[in-house]
Amino acid sequence: MPPARPLRADARQNESRLLEVAARAFARSGPDASLKAIAQEAGVGIGTLYRRFPSRETLIEAVYRSEVDRLCATAPALLERLEPLDALREWMERFVDFMAAKHAMGDALRAVLTSEDDRMRTRGLLRDALAVLLRAGAERGTIRPEVDAHDLLLVLGGIALIAEGPDRRDLAVRLLGLVTDGVRA
């Protein structure tokens, strides 16, 4: 089977818009959000959506992967403008927000991300993003060098579960404050 051809620039822009709009729609309405409304808001026809994402499940999976990649890519960008401990705190808040948005899609995501390989890939990406932040803080002397990225990811997952729901973000922020104090050198 020949390798897939790269998407044209306009097709990449359409895909990017579809993923952004779909992420907002799924966060707002859950996995049953209207695909027709997503296509309309993205400025494309429903046929374009289905050509790129043949099923609701493929769109949900693509949104999830895109959001994970986007979250992980913020780690180095945060370090460019913030001190490592502040960058870590900002990234942790974004992680909790990401998890809250994904909660509404829980059953759909479980159905899509059924393989252990998928889960391990995602955990690896998130762990690696945290490791970048932790390493920078350890090098600057602001984060304890023994803090393990995998352990911290587990803590963040627990906070995301404890603080589920739109009215619980204050609790998540308070808990993240405790975590921040705990990793401080």
Side-chain angles (χ1 to χ4, degrees), residues 9-80:
D10 62 327
R12 280 194 313 272
Q13 288 174 335
N14 287 343
E15 180 178 307
S16 180
R17 272 196 320 275
L18 280 166
L19 291 173
E20 285 178 34
V21 169
R24 286 193 306 269
F26 291 145
R28 185 177 52 242
S29 304
D32 295 325
S34 164
L35 297 184
K36 185 176 179 183
I38 290 170
Q40 282 179 324
E41 188 178 334
V44 301
I46 191 73
T48 298
L49 184 146
Y50 278 114
R51 257 190 311 284
R52 185 64 191 108
F53 308 104
S55 68
R56 179 179 298 276
E57 290 76 23
T58 56
L59 179 59
I60 288 170
E61 180 179 10
V63 165
Y64 176 77
R65 291 189 192 293
S66 173
E67 293 294 298
V68 167
D69 291 343
R70 183 176 293 137
L71 175 62
C72 292
T74 64
L78 288 170
L79 286 170
E80 289 177 9

Side-chain angles (χ1 to χ4, degrees), residues 151-181:
D151 293 348
L152 185 53
L153 183 59
L154 292 174
V155 169
L156 293 176
I159 290 172
L161 287 173
I162 291 167
E164 277 181 2
D167 57 335
R168 311 274 323 255
R169 188 164 196 295
D170 288 344
L171 173 60
V173 169
R174 287 195 316 274
L175 294 172
L176 290 175
L178 292 172
V179 171
T180 303
D181 289 343

